[in-house]
Amino acid sequence: MEKELKARVFPRIWAKTTRGDKITRDYMYTLSEPFDESRMFEYICEITRAMDIPTPIVLQSHVYNFVHFNIAKFLRREYVEDVDFDFFIIENASGTIKPLPRYFREDM
């Protein structure tokens, strides 16, 4: 017997820039479709365009950290241009993106 999803929830990404311990800018981005890790750079381009900041270099480690740990942190050195903040952080604000491995799932 398969479990049915009651509602379809699309992921939301909370993006913020920090200087020291203070948040200087933040933005909530809601995806219009299920999350696709191969489109991570497109999501970050749309977020940074809305926040009016430069786009960072997206490494595979950023994608891995976001998918598996729900957070990715971009350092100042990962920008080609000078930036006025220390970190650019994106967090998954809507729960897990990937399904849990088989040995953690109850329905398998």
Side-chain angles (χ1 to χ4, degrees):
M1 183 169 134
E2 289 188 35
K3 293 182 180 179
E4 293 183 28
L5 293 175
K6 302 254 183 208
R8 185 171 209 134
V9 178
F10 293 120
R12 294 183 313 159
I13 299 173
W14 180 34
K16 58 188 171 181
T17 59
T18 60
R19 185 176 202 82
D21 292 334
K22 299 187 184 211
I23 296 174
T24 55
R25 294 181 199 95
D26 69 327
Y27 179 73
M28 186 65 74
Y29 177 70
T30 304
L31 278 71
S32 59
E33 57 196 20
F35 180 80
D36 180 14
E37 63 187 83
S38 65
R39 297 187 58 208
M40 183 76 159
F41 184 71
E42 293 174 34
Y43 301 148
I44 291 176
C45 285
E46 292 176 22
I47 291 168
T48 55
R49 189 175 303 120
M51 293 177 73
D52 195 29
I53 60 174
T55 303
I57 297 169
V58 180
L59 305 174
Q60 187 60 37
S61 62
H62 295 125
V63 176
Y64 179 85
N65 287 336
F66 187 76
V67 169
H68 295 295
F69 303 114
N70 294 327
I71 191 167
K73 184 185 273 189
F74 297 87
L75 306 175
R76 180 178 268 177
R77 67 177 180 235
E78 293 163 346
Y79 285 87
V80 176
E81 304 173 33
D82 287 332
V83 292
D84 62 346
F85 50 85
D86 296 331
F87 300 108
F88 171 63
I89 303 166
I90 57 171
E91 292 183 38
N92 177 10
S94 60
T96 58
I97 289 179
K98 286 285 192 181
L100 292 173
R102 182 177 179 172
Y103 48 86
F104 284 119
R105 296 189 58 192
E106 298 173 358
D107 60 340
M108 296 185 121

